[in-house]
Amino acid sequence: MKARVQWAGEALFLGESGSGHVVVMDGPPDAGGRNLGVRPMEMLLIGLGGCSNFDVVSILRKGRQPVESCEVFLDAERADEEPKVFTKIHLHFVVKGRGLKEAQVKRAVELSAEKYCSASIMLGRAGVDISHDYEIVELG
């Protein structure tokens, strides 16, 4: 896997993935930015959410669960001192469908956390306290 990040002036950076997609990252005005894109640490958090949500949806679909929507809300805490690394991250999944089995939703979240989500496992090995929970919304 490869990526390229190019400085575009002030605190603005353009990140290009190996697959050719570009994302804008910028800093806040107090750091010389113009707030034109996500912060790099936000990007890391979004990547974690995308990785884990991809797993959960994939596991549920393979288990023939009638999932219609899956969102993950991430809440992170960072160290007060430099380096301001993540210290805690909580992922809260909201899974919606008709007739979802709770045991399968629980198992999907657990499998993502313990076996499949490379981002979550990597951050956990680096000392970040990562927790997960879920809720199921029955659609009428």
Side-chain angles (χ1 to χ4, degrees):
M1 184 177 295
K2 294 183 185 252
R4 179 175 71 105
V5 177
Q6 180 179 353
W7 179 46
E10 298 172 7
L12 185 69
F13 295 85
L14 302 175
E16 183 178 356
S17 68
S19 58
H21 300 280
V22 177
V23 65
V24 176
M25 294 177 282
D26 196 11
D30 64 355
R34 292 179 290 158
N35 199 30
L36 297 175
V38 298
R39 312 291 186 265
M41 289 298 283
E42 291 174 328
M43 184 71 67
L44 186 59
L45 195 60
I46 291 168
L48 166 60
C51 182
S52 191
N53 204 350
F54 181 93
D55 291 338
V56 170
V57 170
S58 178
I59 292 164
L60 290 172
R61 291 179 74 195
K62 285 177 185 172
R64 295 193 168 102
Q65 286 297 291
V67 60
E68 294 184 31
S69 171
C70 187
E71 291 180 279
V72 62
F73 297 87
L74 297 95
D75 187 17
E77 295 179 19
R78 293 176 68 184
D80 292 329
E81 304 296 322
E82 297 292 343
K84 294 183 179 181
V85 299
F86 288 124
T87 56
K88 288 184 179 183
I89 301 174
H90 180 73
L91 293 85
H92 175 72
F93 291 88
V94 178
V95 186
K96 298 178 182 178
R98 291 174 175 81
L100 291 163
K101 294 181 181 166
E102 182 173 3
Q104 287 190 258
V105 172
K106 180 181 183 204
R107 185 73 177 135
V109 171
E110 288 172 349
L111 282 170
S112 176
E114 297 168 6
K115 184 174 183 180
Y116 293 112
C117 182
S118 303
S120 179
I121 293 165
M122 179 179 64
L123 289 168
R125 288 182 182 172
V128 181
D129 178 15
I130 299 178
S131 58
H132 305 76
D133 67 8
Y134 62 90
E135 67 179 280
I136 298 170
V137 176
E138 179 68 27
L139 298 175

